[in-house]
Structures are given as C-alpha cells and as structure tokens.
Amino acid sequence: ATLTSGPSNSSGVAEGTWQTKAPNKRGIGGTNPGPYTATVTGVTAAGYQWDGIQVHVDFTLAPK
C-alpha cells in the first residue's frame, strides 16, 4: 500500500490517503483483505506543532 500525507488546511489538520493494489491476473499478490489499523504518531511539519495525541482508526478491506 502507498501512503501520502500532508497538511490539508491553514489550521494544520493533516490528512492521509492510501492506495491498495489488486492481485495479478493469476490472483497472486495485491493488498490482502482483512482488518487494518492506521495510526498517526510523531508528526512533524515546518510551521506546525503536533499536539502529541496519537490518533488511530480501525478499518477492514473487503474483496470486490
């Protein structure tokens, strides 16, 4: 999976996006379906100060 993040507005709120990968024509590889947790820690960006609160969200990837 690929993760991209950055400040999203003048308040310094950050957002993250990611992209999953499909398996090849033989059904091999790709991002596995199942439960995942995304956690935000140790944020640094010029001109911003992180409040130190770890944020996490649980999500599940389901096959099509």
Side-chain angles (χ1 to χ4, degrees):
T2 302
L3 174 67
T4 305
S5 64
S8 61
N9 63 30
S10 61
S11 297
V13 174
E15 66 181 355
T17 60
W18 60 90
Q19 181 177 25
T20 59
K21 293 186 179 187
N24 65 19
K25 291 181 182 180
R26 293 183 175 178
I28 299 170
T31 305
N32 291 325
Y36 289 85
T37 300
T39 304
V40 177
T41 61
V43 176
T44 60
Y48 295 94
Q49 183 175 349
W50 181 43
D51 61 11
I53 298 172
Q54 285 189 354
V55 178
H56 61 86
V57 62
D58 297 325
F59 61 96
T60 300
L61 297 178
K64 283 186 171 183

